[in-house]
């Protein structure tokens, strides 16, 4: 099948979803009000609460939630065949991710920009808030650890991507000063910044930066050295006001997404590549079954609980007008879906003939361990159809993943700091919640420790080890999405509106994730992954308890509706 047919089918479905379903959500489910005074205005402080133009905010929101997940997840999931992976990306994006992301922004904005964990205490129960905060803590630890290792893998295997990934930082700082200090438009300088980033790609290829000498001098592996450097950077970046680096870099990355998707889709059209992978693959007997693992492996490519943390942690604090939540929230979900589509194409049509695909995806270990490489190679092939050398195209793909993952880690560490502050208050250590430098250090050291535990380095990129780590991340991520949907559903029901749009994906996700958590417990025990086993067991207990709390709240709210609540 020509790969371009898949592009047309998916993009048409995404357009119809935004045109009709998101309007239904905005008008009938969430009742967005243009006159509502958002927290960005009500609590404006110039650091976290900053009214932001919707296009800039979309760039921040999308690149904060994107990272490597909508690439790695689908790149692994095509092991079960392109058809189930693509079907879940399309349906999950339209009917689950859009509802979840938009709803998380709205519910948070209606509650002074509070994060989804805190909101669960107000909407569900006080116990739910504590349980949810602990699950979010585990999720953010996994997100930051996994993305840090992913970036280290790409820097190690693509040293030509280092200069382009670094040069975007001073460019973004300059744009931030230009926009917020001088009050000028961000469009032209961001386009110039994007061009400078692309000019830096061939420069990076000509002058690759490796840390072999540094790693040898301090007695560490190259990947471990990169991990330490990356986490040191995130400590600094997450301490800066959002307008200095986070927002302008996200805007550049948002434009980079548009360019990346355009050149990938154009390369598919010009080369008229065909999908070499099977629609449904007959997997090996010792590989995990696609049901339920497909729905947690794709992760951010269809729906992601991490989005609710970003939506309620930073995005809602920058929302200028409430109706713009539709453009930012639902539009960001569609951007994730489009990136997941590109990853599917790169790994099913960009690797060559069927024989080459079968070699690359010989088993689940090859699929999971080589996912990043498959995407980079496939994207390089698509760009070669446009006359761009495949090696240059591969570096371009690596830069895209690295810059997205970097901005996600910036946001993730920032969010982890907020969560640690709230947990410290719940534990009775209120003085600790105000010590920003200490909390930031803890937010960095905890995922860093997970990335560097014995075997953690290997777990970041080799075979089944990475597959097991990714499934725990994906399971926790999708579980968080289901729990966020429970908060949204109760909030909607309390306002006498139909919560079915949130309840349907909520039930589906909770069923799949609890099933996967149980399967993971058995797998981790058999493989001797004691750290992951302990984390999985803790998450399972927290999830089961929180599900009971959510069901109780839904039943309670169904029997006690407040007619006057519809406008609140």
């Amino acid at each position: 099948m020509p790969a371009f047919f898949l592009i047309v089918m998916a993009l048409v479905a995404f357009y119809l979803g935004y045109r009709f379903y998101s309007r239904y959500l905005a008008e009938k489910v969430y009742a967005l009000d243009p006159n509502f005074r958002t927290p960005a205005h009500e609590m404006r402080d110039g650091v976290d609460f900053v009214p932001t133009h919707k296009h800039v905010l979309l760039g921040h929101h999308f690149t904060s939630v994107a990272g490597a997940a909508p690439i790695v997840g689908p790149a692994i999931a095509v092991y079960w065949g392109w058809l189930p992976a693509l079907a879940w990306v399309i349906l999950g994006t339209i009917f689950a991710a859009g509802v979840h992301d938009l709803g998380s922004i709205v519910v948070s904005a209606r509650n002074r920009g509070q994060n989804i964990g805190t909101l669960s205490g107000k909407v569900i129960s006080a116990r739910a808030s504590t349980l949810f905060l602990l699950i979010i803590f585990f999720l953010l630890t996994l997100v930051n650890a996994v993305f840090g290792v992913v970036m280290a893998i790409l820097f190690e295997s693509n040293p030509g991507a280092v200069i382009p990934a670094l040069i975007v930082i001073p460019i973004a700082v300059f744009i931030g000063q230009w926009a917020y200090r001088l009050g000028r438009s961000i469009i032209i300088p961001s386009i110039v910044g994007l061009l400078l980033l692309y000019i830096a790609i061939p420069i990076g290829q000509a002058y690759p930066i490796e840390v072999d000498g540094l790693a040898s001098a301090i007695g560490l592996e190259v990947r471990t050295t990169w991990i330490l450097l990356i986490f040191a950077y995130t400590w600094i970046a997450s301490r800066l006001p959002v307008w200095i680096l986070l927002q302008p870099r996200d805007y550049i990355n948002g434009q980079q997404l548009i360019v990346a998707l355009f050149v990938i889709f154009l390369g598919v059209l010009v080369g008229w590549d065909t999908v070499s992978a099977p629609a449904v693959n007959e997997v090996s007997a010792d590989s995990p079954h696609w049901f339920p693992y497909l729905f947690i492996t794709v992760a951010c490519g269809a729906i992601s609980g991490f989005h609710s943390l970003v939506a309620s942690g930073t995005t809602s604090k920058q929302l200028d007008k409430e109706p713009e939540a539709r453009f930012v929230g639902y539009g960001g979900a569609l951007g994730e879906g489009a990136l997941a589509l590109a990853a599917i194409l790169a790994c099913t049509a960009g690797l060559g003939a069927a024989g080459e695909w079968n070699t690359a995806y010989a088993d689940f270990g090859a699929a999971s361990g080589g996912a990043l490489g498959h995407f980079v190679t496939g994207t390089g092939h698509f760009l070669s159809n446009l006359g761009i050398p495949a090696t240059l195209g591969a570096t371009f793909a690596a830069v895209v993943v690295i810059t997205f993952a970097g901005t996600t880690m910036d946001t993730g560490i920032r969010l982890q700091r907020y969560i640690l502050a709230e947990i410290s208050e719940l534990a009775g250590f209120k003085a600790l919640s105000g010590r920003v430098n200490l909390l930031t250090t803890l937010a960095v050291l905890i995922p860093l420790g997970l990335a560097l535990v014995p075997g953690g380095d290997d777990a970041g990129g080799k075979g089944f080890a990475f597959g097991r780590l990714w499934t725990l991340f994906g399971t926790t991520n999708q579980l968080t999405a289901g729990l966020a949907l429970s908060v949204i559903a109760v909030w909607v029901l309390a306002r006498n509106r139909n919560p079915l749009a949130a309840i349907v994906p909520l039930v589906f996700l909770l069923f799949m994730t609890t099933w996967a958590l149980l399967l993971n417990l058995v797998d981790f025990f058999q493989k001797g992954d004691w750290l992951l086993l302990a984390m999985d067991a803790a998450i399972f207990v927290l999830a089961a308890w929180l599900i009971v709390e959510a069901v109780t709240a839904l039943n309670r709210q169904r029997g006690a509706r407040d007619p006057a609540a519809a406008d609140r």
Side-chain angles (χ1 to χ4, degrees):
M1 174 183 291
F4 192 72
F5 288 175
L6 302 185
I7 296 176
V8 173
M9 177 177 63
L11 294 185
V12 168
F14 289 159
Y15 167 77
L16 293 176
Y18 186 83
R19 177 69 176 80
F20 297 104
Y21 195 56
S22 74
R23 174 177 289 182
Y24 163 75
L25 294 172
E27 296 179 355
K28 304 298 182 182
V29 179
Y30 300 127
L32 304 185
D33 181 5
N35 297 317
F36 174 72
R37 185 172 172 81
T38 64
H41 293 280
E42 186 73 22
M43 305 170 66
R44 184 170 186 164
D45 62 5
V47 178
D48 293 315
F49 293 86
V50 180
T52 305
H53 191 280
K54 66 178 183 179
H55 292 104
V56 178
L57 186 55
L58 175 62
H60 156 72
H61 178 77
F62 173 76
T63 54
S64 293
V65 300
I71 294 172
V72 177
I76 297 174
V78 295
Y79 172 66
W80 293 295
W82 65 262
L83 182 59
L86 183 63
W88 175 232
V89 165
I90 294 176
L91 295 175
T93 296
I94 294 174
F95 296 108
V99 178
H100 171 273
D101 293 17
L102 171 55
S104 297
I105 295 175
V106 173
V107 175
S108 176
R110 286 281 175 161
N111 289 273
R112 298 174 60 82
Q114 292 180 317
N115 71 66
I116 198 72
T118 302
L119 290 173
S120 66
K122 297 177 62 176
V123 175
I124 297 178
S125 70
R127 285 188 302 271
S129 177
T130 303
L131 297 170
F132 208 158
L133 284 174
L134 292 174
I135 291 177
I136 291 172
F137 168 79
F138 281 115
L139 173 59
L140 287 172
T141 299
L142 285 163
V143 166
N144 293 322
V146 168
F147 281 20
V149 175
V150 162
M151 291 177 66
I153 293 171
L154 288 171
F155 277 139
E156 181 185 19
S157 58
N158 299 273
V162 176
I163 288 179
L166 291 178
I167 201 170
V168 74
I169 297 174
I171 292 173
V173 171
F174 171 78
I175 292 174
Q177 298 293 323
W178 175 275
Y180 291 94
R181 293 289 190 190
L182 303 179
R184 299 182 181 180
S185 173
I186 198 174
I187 297 177
I188 299 301
S190 64
I191 293 175
V192 173
L194 189 64
L195 292 176
L196 292 175
L197 171 61
Y198 291 150
I199 291 173
I201 291 178
I203 296 175
Q205 274 204 311
Y207 301 98
I209 294 180
E210 299 178 345
V211 296
D212 302 60
L214 175 61
S216 178
I218 59 179
L220 296 175
E221 297 291 332
V222 171
R223 186 176 302 174
T224 302
T225 303
W226 273 120
I227 291 173
L228 292 173
L229 292 173
I230 289 166
F231 275 96
Y233 155 77
T234 60
W235 190 95
I236 298 171
S238 63
R239 291 289 293 112
L240 298 174
V242 293
W243 60 268
I244 290 181
L245 176 60
L246 185 63
Q247 281 186 350
R249 184 184 58 190
D250 289 347
Y251 193 61
I252 294 173
N253 285 341
Q255 292 176 328
Q256 187 177 194
L257 165 73
I258 296 173
V259 173
L261 291 177
F262 176 77
V263 296
I264 289 173
F265 293 163
L266 181 62
V268 172
L269 175 61
V270 172
W272 204 248
D273 294 284
T274 57
V275 176
S276 57
V280 179
N281 189 31
E282 295 184 10
V283 303
S284 59
D286 60 343
S287 295
H289 197 270
W290 72 273
F291 198 86
Y293 280 108
L294 171 73
F295 304 102
I296 61 172
T297 300
V298 172
C300 301
I303 180 172
S304 164
F306 181 69
H307 293 199
S308 68
L309 309 188
V310 175
S312 63
T314 60
T315 305
S316 65
K317 296 176 175 64
Q318 302 172 56
L319 186 67
D320 186 22
K321 299 179 179 63
E322 191 176 60
E324 294 174 358
R326 176 192 177 197
F327 177 78
V328 175
Y330 202 95
L334 294 181
E336 288 270 89
L339 187 55
L341 169 64
I344 290 173
L345 294 173
C347 297
T348 58
L351 296 183
E356 294 171 286
W357 188 89
N358 289 331
T359 300
Y361 284 86
D363 53 39
F364 187 72
S368 58
L372 283 169
H374 300 332
F375 171 77
V376 169
T377 300
T379 301
H381 167 74
F382 292 150
L383 267 64
S384 71
N385 294 336
L386 304 177
I388 300 172
T391 54
L392 190 63
T395 302
F396 167 82
V399 170
V400 169
V401 179
I402 290 168
T403 53
F404 283 0
T407 202
T408 299
M409 285 191 68
D410 181 347
T411 302
I413 296 296
R414 196 179 294 260
L415 293 173
Q416 186 77 303
R417 184 177 76 233
Y418 300 155
I419 296 301
L420 286 172
E422 294 195 41
I423 291 176
S424 66
E425 288 189 8
L426 288 174
F429 301 103
K430 292 186 178 181
L432 180 62
S433 65
R435 301 183 63 181
V436 177
N437 286 338
L438 175 59
L439 291 173
T440 303
T441 302
L442 290 174
V444 168
L445 290 179
I446 292 170
L448 174 60
L450 180 60
L452 294 179
V453 291
D457 196 11
D458 288 342
K462 297 179 182 177
F464 277 107
F466 180 66
R468 292 195 298 275
L469 183 63
W470 188 267
T471 55
L472 180 57
F473 156 70
T475 303
T476 311
N477 194 25
Q478 305 305 77
L479 171 65
T480 305
L483 298 176
L485 283 169
S486 69
V487 174
I488 295 169
V490 174
W491 185 85
V492 170
L493 186 61
R495 280 144 189 81
N496 298 321
R497 304 182 200 126
N498 189 349
L500 197 60
I503 289 178
V504 171
L506 157 66
V507 172
F508 180 80
L509 286 176
L510 292 183
F511 175 75
M512 291 298 170
T513 53
T514 51
W515 184 6
L517 279 169
L518 288 171
L519 294 177
N520 282 340
L521 283 173
V522 176
D523 184 54
F524 295 153
F525 178 79
Q526 292 176 342
K527 301 299 191 304
D529 287 337
W530 306 120
L531 177 60
L532 297 184
L533 175 67
M535 293 180 67
D536 188 279
I539 294 167
F540 178 79
V541 171
L542 293 171
W545 193 349
L546 193 47
I547 289 171
V548 172
E549 295 283 343
V551 171
T552 302
L554 279 169
N555 289 333
R556 182 174 62 246
Q557 192 60 60
R558 191 181 299 118
R561 297 189 180 186
D562 179 6
D567 297 326
R568 295 205 299 269

